[in-house]
């Protein structure tokens, strides 16, 4: 996939790449901590969504608000949240952004007008709230809502779309569509077309390849400018590929990546479930098995296509290698320094997790 024709100057390409590689470095660091057992609970990474995050947040200014979903660290990094306090929050430290009570899914940064929530679809309603407040307190400001495509089947999001149109709220809804809702293919549980559904509500819509930051930025700018000027809300639909799957340790990916060990581990349980009596008939069981197999075929296809959909690789093609390498090195150094600062807080975690 070739990047679309750059609509901006070289400086902007460098700045966008800088922002994306910072997010990637931060996300990789927290994924690594999770793998060491140092992050409590699940970890949903935004790796693969960097172009959407940067393309959209680039259009925001002071006074604009962000309502975020369960992949909220990327947008907060992009908007300038303090990385140390963010990482401390992710590991559950009292010194973290929310005193360690939120974790990575419930991050609040009042100074950035940003709030995240793990309830799928809730960011739409939160964004409407932010937009009503903006209209009264910060005229000319807008709110954006980030969510996955699975959220379009949540009533709360549809209510938010309706209210945003009825009240002409300054909101831009940003749907990051990876095609999956955990282990369910979203199209298997979705009637009609997502973008047409949004249009039926009266939202202005734009669809983009979410791995191309230039394309995302241009589409986002159109919707943001319109919303800011009182023209009404919009939906940005961005296709994305997330190589890490739903969350760190994604079971579907584990099976795909390490089939032998996983078959050994999961095989007996699956066999027991298939043969358990009483239960559904043979045909139903065979159908369920075929459905599972089809899901893996689909996932393997997604991953093959996904290799061309890495936002950083796409953005790199607009830069010379030295410039991109220098940006990667700056991001790695910044995140290494942050890791150094949280190290003290991780000592107890290491003892509990039994790692040195
Ligand atoms: C209301 C609600 N139902 C179910 C869940 C459990 N859940 C967490 S993430 C998720 C899938 C979301 O899929 P999508 O919206 O496409 O976002 P993605 O994870 O792909 O970014 C589900 C069902 C939840 N958090 N909230
Ligand atoms: Mg999804």
């Amino acid at each position: 996939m070739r990047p679309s024709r750059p609509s901006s100057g070289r400086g902007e390409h460098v700045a966008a790449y800088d922002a994306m590689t910072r997010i990637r470095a931060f996300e990789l660091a927290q994924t690594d901590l999770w793998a060491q057992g140092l992050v409590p609970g699940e970890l949903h990474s935004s790796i693969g969504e960097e172009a959407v995050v940067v393309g959209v947040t680039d259009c925001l200014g002071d006074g604009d608000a962000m309502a975020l979903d369960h992949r909220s660290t990327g947008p907060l990094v992009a908007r300038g949240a303090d990385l140390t306090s963010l990482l401390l929050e992710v590991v559950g430290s009292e010194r973290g952004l929310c005193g360690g009570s939120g974790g990575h899914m419930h991050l609040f940064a009042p100074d950035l007008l940003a709030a995240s929530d793990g309830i799928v679809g809730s960011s739409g309603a939160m964004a409407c709230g932010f937009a009503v407040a903006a209209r009264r307190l910060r005229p000319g400001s807008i709110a954006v809502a980030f969510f996955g495509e699975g959220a379009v089947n949540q009533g709360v999001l549809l209510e938010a779309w309706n209210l945003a149109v009825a009240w002409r709220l300054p909101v831009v809804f940003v749907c990051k569509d990876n095609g999956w809702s955990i282990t369910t293919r979203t199209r298997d549980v979705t009637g009609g077309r997502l973008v047409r559904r949004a249009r039926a509500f009266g939202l202005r819509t734009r669809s983009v390849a979410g791995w191309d930051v230039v394309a995302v930025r241009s589409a986002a700018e159109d919707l943001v400018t319109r919303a800011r000027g009182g023209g009404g809300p919009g939906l940005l639909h961005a296709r994305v590929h997330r190589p890490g799957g739903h969350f760190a340790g994604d079971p579907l990916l584990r099976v795909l990546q390490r089939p032998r060990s996983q078959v050994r581990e999961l095989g007996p349980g699956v066999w027991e479930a298939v043969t358990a009596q009483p239960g559904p008939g043979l045909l139903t069981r065979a159908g369920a098995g075929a459905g599972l197999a089809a899901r893996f075929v689909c996932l393997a296809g997604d991953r093959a296509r996904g290799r061309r959909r890495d936002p950083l690789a796409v953005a790199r093609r607009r830069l010379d290698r030295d410039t991109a390498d220098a940006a990667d090195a700056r991001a790695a150094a910044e995140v290494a320094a942050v890791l150094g600062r949280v190290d003290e807080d991780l000592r107890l975690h290491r003892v509990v997790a039994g790692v040195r």
Side-chain angles (χ1 to χ4, degrees):
M1 158 80 203
R2 294 216 58 74
S4 62
R5 183 187 288 273
S7 63
S8 46
R10 181 177 178 279
E12 286 186 33
H13 294 322
V14 176
Y17 186 81
D18 247 332
M20 290 196 291
T21 195
R22 270 184 92 233
I23 296 174
R24 178 72 58 97
F26 185 85
E27 298 290 275
L28 286 172
Q30 53 171 5
T31 306
D32 189 46
L33 290 179
W34 183 89
Q36 293 176 53
L38 302 177
V39 176
E42 297 169 350
L43 183 73
H44 306 84
S45 147
S46 67
I47 289 178
E49 299 180 350
E50 294 91 341
V52 181
V53 169
V54 170
V56 171
T57 54
D58 246 18
C59 302
L60 305 182
D62 288 347
D64 292 336
M66 294 193 304
L68 305 168
D69 63 0
H70 49 295
R71 304 184 193 280
S72 54
T73 40
L76 284 167
V77 171
R79 286 290 273 157
D82 178 68
L83 298 193
T84 304
S85 110
L86 204 51
L87 198 58
L88 284 168
E89 184 61 35
V90 170
V91 301
S93 162
E94 281 180 359
R95 294 199 299 135
L97 182 66
C98 307
S101 323
H104 86 285
M105 262 200 290
H106 300 100
L107 295 165
F108 297 88
D111 53 329
L112 297 174
L113 291 171
S116 69
D117 194 319
I119 303 294
V120 170
S122 63
S123 59
M126 286 197 290
C128 287
F130 273 130
V132 170
R135 182 174 278 171
R136 285 166 187 259
L137 306 173
R138 302 179 297 279
S141 296
I142 66 147
V144 291
F146 285 95
F147 50 86
E149 84 295 342
V152 302
N153 294 323
Q154 284 297 129
V156 63
L157 187 67
L158 302 178
E159 291 180 41
W161 286 0
N162 175 59
L163 204 66
V165 173
W167 291 1
R168 220 176 164 77
L169 294 176
V171 184
V172 176
F173 297 98
V174 181
C175 177
K176 304 160 294 164
D177 185 348
N178 74 324
W180 291 85
S181 304
I182 312 187
T183 51
T184 300
R185 286 292 290 173
T186 308
R187 66 169 178 239
D188 294 344
V189 292
T190 304
R193 294 273 179 84
L194 187 162
V195 170
R196 285 191 201 154
R197 196 188 286 185
R199 274 194 217 128
F201 275 88
L203 289 165
R204 180 190 187 110
T205 63
R206 295 286 306 262
S207 284
V208 287
W211 43 90
D212 182 350
V213 70
V214 173
V216 173
R217 200 204 138 109
S218 144
E221 196 148 32
D222 170 43
L223 297 175
V224 166
T225 306
R226 181 169 177 267
R228 208 183 279 298
L235 170 84
L236 178 67
H237 174 246
R239 300 183 305 286
V240 296
H241 171 71
R242 279 203 318 270
H246 181 71
F247 45 28
D250 184 303
L252 279 189
L253 285 188
R254 252 185 3 238
V255 173
L256 209 64
Q257 288 162 343
R258 301 196 297 274
R260 280 191 182 185
S261 71
Q262 289 302 299
V263 165
R264 266 199 308 276
E265 197 177 302
L266 306 173
V270 172
W271 181 248
E272 202 182 314
V274 167
T275 53
Q277 294 297 334
L282 199 61
L283 274 182
T284 307
R285 289 171 198 244
L292 198 56
R295 210 166 299 184
F296 282 110
V297 171
C298 218
L299 186 64
D302 268 8
R303 291 181 68 71
R305 283 187 294 279
R307 282 191 215 109
R308 298 187 302 278
R309 297 179 175 181
D310 175 9
L312 270 77
V314 172
R316 257 183 171 265
R317 287 184 226 149
R318 298 196 176 100
L319 302 175
D320 59 79
R321 182 188 290 188
D322 288 349
T323 304
D325 286 351
D328 290 347
R330 272 195 305 278
E334 184 185 1
V335 170
V338 169
L339 282 168
R341 286 196 282 277
V342 306
D343 200 54
E344 180 65 20
D345 294 69
L346 288 174
R347 278 222 313 245
L348 183 61
H349 291 58
R350 287 205 173 87
V351 172
V352 173
V355 291
R356 294 168 62 82

